[in-house]
Amino acid sequence: MSITIGIDPHKASHTAVAVDDFETVIDEICIRSCPTQAVLLRDWADGFRDDRTWAVESAQGLGYLLAQQLIAAGETVVDVPAVRASRVRTLSTGRSQKNDPNDARSVAIAALRANDLAAVLPDDHTRILRLLGKRHRDLGRQKNLECNRLHALLLEMFPGGADFKMSSMTRVDVLLDRFIATDSMGRQRLDLAGRRR
Protein backbone atom coordinates (compact mmCIF):
# COMPACT_ATOMS: atom_id res chain seq x y z
CA MET A 1 0.00 0.00 0.00
CA SER A 2 1.37 3.38 -0.94
CA ILE A 3 1.03 6.65 0.92
CA THR A 4 0.32 10.00 -0.69
CA ILE A 5 1.20 13.09 1.30
CA GLY A 6 -0.62 16.23 0.24
CA ILE A 7 0.93 19.57 1.13
CA ASP A 8 -0.86 22.90 1.29
CA PRO A 9 2.03 25.42 1.26
CA HIS A 10 1.84 28.95 2.66
CA LYS A 11 4.38 31.68 3.32
CA ALA A 12 4.54 31.10 7.07
CA SER A 13 3.58 27.42 7.37
CA HIS A 14 2.91 24.19 5.49
CA THR A 15 0.18 21.68 6.28
CA ALA A 16 0.71 18.06 5.26
CA VAL A 17 -1.84 15.24 5.30
CA ALA A 18 -0.98 11.60 4.62
CA VAL A 19 -3.66 9.42 3.00
CA ASP A 20 -3.66 5.78 1.93
CA ASP A 21 -4.92 4.27 -1.32
CA PHE A 22 -8.50 4.33 0.05
CA GLU A 23 -8.29 8.10 0.67
CA THR A 24 -8.31 7.56 4.43
CA VAL A 25 -6.40 10.15 6.42
CA ILE A 26 -3.55 8.52 8.33
CA ASP A 27 -1.98 11.57 9.94
CA GLU A 28 -1.50 15.30 9.52
CA ILE A 29 1.02 17.89 10.58
CA CYS A 30 1.49 21.64 10.35
CA ILE A 31 5.03 23.02 10.39
CA ARG A 32 6.48 26.50 10.21
CA SER A 33 8.30 27.56 7.05
CA CYS A 34 11.96 27.40 8.03
CA PRO A 35 15.33 26.21 6.71
CA THR A 36 14.68 22.71 8.10
CA GLN A 37 11.10 22.37 6.80
CA ALA A 38 11.88 19.43 4.50
CA VAL A 39 13.78 17.62 7.26
CA LEU A 40 10.84 18.07 9.65
CA LEU A 41 8.39 16.74 7.08
CA ARG A 42 10.59 13.77 6.18
CA ASP A 43 11.09 12.92 9.87
CA TRP A 44 7.31 12.96 10.31
CA ALA A 45 6.81 10.85 7.17
CA ASP A 46 9.42 8.27 8.19
CA GLY A 47 6.69 6.61 10.27
CA PHE A 48 4.95 5.63 7.03
CA ARG A 49 6.01 3.20 4.36
CA ASP A 50 8.91 3.98 2.08
CA ASP A 51 6.52 3.85 -0.88
CA ARG A 52 5.32 7.43 -0.59
CA THR A 53 4.63 10.26 -2.98
CA TRP A 54 4.58 13.92 -2.04
CA ALA A 55 1.88 16.00 -3.73
CA VAL A 56 2.60 19.71 -3.46
CA GLU A 57 -0.03 22.25 -4.47
CA SER A 58 1.47 24.81 -6.86
CA ALA A 59 4.95 23.28 -6.81
CA GLN A 60 6.07 25.91 -9.33
CA GLY A 61 4.63 28.74 -7.22
CA LEU A 62 4.31 29.02 -3.45
CA GLY A 63 5.38 25.41 -2.94
CA TYR A 64 8.48 25.73 -5.14
CA LEU A 65 11.17 25.80 -2.47
CA LEU A 66 9.68 22.96 -0.43
CA ALA A 67 9.23 20.81 -3.54
CA GLN A 68 12.85 21.39 -4.58
CA GLN A 69 14.07 20.55 -1.06
CA LEU A 70 12.11 17.28 -1.10
CA ILE A 71 13.47 16.41 -4.56
CA ALA A 72 17.02 17.11 -3.36
CA ALA A 73 16.42 14.70 -0.47
CA GLY A 74 15.49 11.94 -2.93
CA GLU A 75 11.71 12.07 -2.55
CA THR A 76 9.14 11.66 -5.35
CA VAL A 77 7.14 14.86 -5.77
CA VAL A 78 4.23 15.73 -8.09
CA ASP A 79 2.77 19.14 -8.81
CA VAL A 80 -0.97 19.44 -8.13
CA PRO A 81 -2.61 22.50 -9.70
CA ALA A 82 -4.72 24.48 -7.23
CA VAL A 83 -7.77 24.09 -9.49
CA ARG A 84 -7.71 20.30 -9.13
CA ALA A 85 -7.41 20.40 -5.35
CA SER A 86 -10.24 22.91 -5.16
CA ARG A 87 -12.42 20.74 -7.38
CA VAL A 88 -11.81 17.70 -5.14
CA ARG A 89 -12.61 19.72 -2.01
CA THR A 90 -15.85 21.08 -3.47
CA LEU A 91 -17.08 17.84 -5.02
CA SER A 92 -16.28 15.63 -2.02
CA THR A 93 -18.41 17.64 0.43
CA GLY A 94 -20.72 19.75 -1.70
CA ARG A 95 -19.22 22.90 -0.20
CA SER A 96 -15.69 24.22 -0.06
CA GLN A 97 -14.87 23.96 3.71
CA LYS A 98 -11.64 25.83 3.13
CA ASN A 99 -9.04 25.22 5.84
CA ASP A 100 -5.45 24.01 5.71
CA PRO A 101 -5.97 20.33 6.66
CA ASN A 102 -8.89 20.01 4.20
CA ASP A 103 -6.80 21.70 1.52
CA ALA A 104 -3.85 19.36 2.08
CA ARG A 105 -6.19 16.35 2.07
CA SER A 106 -7.71 17.56 -1.21
CA VAL A 107 -4.23 17.89 -2.71
CA ALA A 108 -3.41 14.30 -1.72
CA ILE A 109 -6.70 12.94 -3.10
CA ALA A 110 -6.28 14.90 -6.33
CA ALA A 111 -2.85 13.31 -6.73
CA LEU A 112 -4.27 9.84 -6.03
CA ARG A 113 -7.03 10.20 -8.63
CA ALA A 114 -4.94 11.77 -11.38
CA ASN A 115 -2.35 9.96 -13.45
CA ASP A 116 -1.35 12.93 -15.57
CA LEU A 117 0.28 15.16 -12.96
CA ALA A 118 3.70 16.56 -13.73
CA ALA A 119 6.55 15.14 -11.70
CA VAL A 120 8.63 17.86 -10.11
CA LEU A 121 12.20 17.77 -11.40
CA PRO A 122 15.30 19.41 -9.99
CA ASP A 123 16.16 22.78 -11.45
CA ASP A 124 18.41 22.74 -14.49
CA HIS A 125 19.98 25.24 -16.86
CA THR A 126 16.62 25.96 -18.47
CA ARG A 127 15.30 27.33 -15.18
CA ILE A 128 18.48 29.38 -14.70
CA LEU A 129 18.15 30.88 -18.18
CA ARG A 130 14.49 31.66 -17.53
CA LEU A 131 15.46 33.40 -14.28
CA LEU A 132 18.16 35.44 -16.03
CA GLY A 133 15.77 36.33 -18.86
CA LYS A 134 13.18 37.55 -16.35
CA ARG A 135 15.85 39.64 -14.60
CA HIS A 136 16.84 41.19 -17.93
CA ARG A 137 13.22 42.08 -18.72
CA ASP A 138 12.73 43.54 -15.24
CA LEU A 139 15.83 45.71 -15.58
CA GLY A 140 14.67 46.93 -19.00
CA ARG A 141 11.26 47.84 -17.63
CA GLN A 142 12.83 49.61 -14.66
CA LYS A 143 15.10 51.63 -16.96
CA ASN A 144 12.15 52.52 -19.18
CA LEU A 145 10.15 53.65 -16.13
CA GLU A 146 13.03 55.80 -14.86
CA CYS A 147 13.52 57.37 -18.31
CA ASN A 148 9.80 58.21 -18.49
CA ARG A 149 9.91 59.81 -15.05
CA LEU A 150 13.00 61.82 -15.97
CA HIS A 151 11.39 62.93 -19.24
CA ALA A 152 8.26 64.05 -17.36
CA LEU A 153 10.47 66.08 -15.01
CA LEU A 154 12.38 67.62 -17.92
CA LEU A 155 9.06 68.62 -19.51
CA GLU A 156 8.40 70.72 -16.40
CA MET A 157 11.85 72.29 -16.61
CA PHE A 158 12.31 72.90 -20.36
CA PRO A 159 9.78 73.66 -23.11
CA GLY A 160 9.34 70.38 -25.02
CA GLY A 161 11.53 68.49 -22.54
CA ALA A 162 14.51 66.60 -23.94
CA ASP A 163 14.66 66.55 -27.73
CA PHE A 164 16.78 63.37 -27.74
CA LYS A 165 16.53 59.74 -26.62
CA MET A 166 16.85 59.34 -22.89
CA SER A 167 19.51 56.65 -23.31
CA SER A 168 22.18 59.35 -23.47
CA MET A 169 22.78 60.47 -19.87
CA THR A 170 25.67 62.72 -20.99
CA ARG A 171 23.21 64.82 -22.96
CA VAL A 172 20.89 64.91 -19.94
CA ASP A 173 23.78 66.20 -17.82
CA VAL A 174 24.47 68.98 -20.33
CA LEU A 175 20.78 69.90 -20.36
CA LEU A 176 20.58 70.00 -16.56
CA ASP A 177 23.76 72.12 -16.37
CA ARG A 178 21.97 74.75 -18.51
CA PHE A 179 18.99 74.90 -16.17
CA ILE A 180 18.85 77.89 -13.83
CA ALA A 181 16.60 77.36 -10.84
CA THR A 182 14.81 80.59 -9.94
CA ASP A 183 12.64 79.26 -7.11
CA SER A 184 12.41 76.39 -4.63
CA MET A 185 10.29 74.30 -7.03
CA GLY A 186 12.94 74.63 -9.73
CA ARG A 187 15.67 73.65 -7.27
CA GLN A 188 13.66 70.62 -6.19
CA ARG A 189 13.06 69.54 -9.79
CA LEU A 190 16.78 69.92 -10.54
CA ASP A 191 17.63 67.88 -7.45
CA LEU A 192 15.20 65.08 -8.43
CA ALA A 193 16.41 65.05 -12.03
CA GLY A 194 20.01 64.85 -10.83
CA ARG A 195 19.17 61.81 -8.68
CA ARG A 196 17.59 59.97 -11.60
CA ARG A 197 20.77 60.10 -13.69
Side-chain angles (χ1 to χ4, degrees), residues 3-190:
I3 301 296
T4 303
I5 302 170
I7 298 178
D8 181 31
H10 293 281
K11 289 180 183 177
S13 67
H14 306 302
T15 302
V17 172
V19 298
D20 61 16
D21 290 334
F22 303 106
E23 300 178 4
T24 304
V25 174
I26 299 169
D27 197 7
E28 66 182 59
I29 188 173
C30 182
I31 62 161
R32 281 182 345 117
S33 297
C34 64
T36 59
Q37 60 192 9
V39 174
L40 293 171
L41 282 171
R42 291 184 75 228
D43 288 346
W44 167 76
D46 280 343
F48 312 127
R49 298 181 182 270
D50 288 335
D51 185 19
R52 63 184 180 220
T53 301
W54 298 82
V56 179
E57 183 178 31
S58 300
Q60 298 301 321
L62 202 52
Y64 168 77
L65 179 61
L66 180 59
Q68 287 299 315
Q69 289 172 334
L70 289 169
I71 289 290
E75 299 286 347
T76 303
V77 182
V78 294
D79 182 12
V80 178
V83 173
R84 285 206 182 171
S86 174
R87 192 175 301 144
V88 167
R89 187 177 59 249
T90 303
L91 293 176
S92 66
T93 62
R95 55 189 193 277
S96 66
Q97 291 184 353
K98 183 128 175 68
N99 61 45
D100 292 345
N102 278 349
D103 289 351
R105 178 181 172 274
S106 299
V107 170
I109 292 172
L112 270 175
R113 293 179 183 173
N115 57 3
D116 62 341
L117 294 177
V120 178
L121 302 173
D123 285 340
D124 60 2
H125 293 294
T126 305
R127 179 100 179 168
I128 294 169
L129 289 173
R130 195 175 303 133
L131 182 68
L132 291 173
K134 182 182 181 308
R135 174 72 175 149
H136 179 72
R137 279 192 312 275
D138 290 346
L139 287 173
R141 288 178 182 144
Q142 183 180 356
K143 179 184 176 192
N144 191 26
L145 182 65
E146 288 298 318
C147 285
N148 287 339
R149 287 179 179 161
L150 180 57
H151 185 67
L153 216 62
L154 292 175
L155 281 170
E156 295 174 359
M157 297 167 70
F158 299 98
D163 59 350
F164 51 85
K165 282 191 149 193
M166 296 304 283
S167 60
S168 172
M169 288 299 122
T170 306
R171 293 180 75 183
V172 171
D173 289 340
V174 170
L175 192 61
L176 290 176
D177 289 342
R178 289 191 347 227
F179 183 74
I180 299 170
T182 57
D183 58 2
S184 59
M185 190 60 149
R187 284 188 293 278
Q188 188 61 49
R189 285 185 179 122
L190 184 60

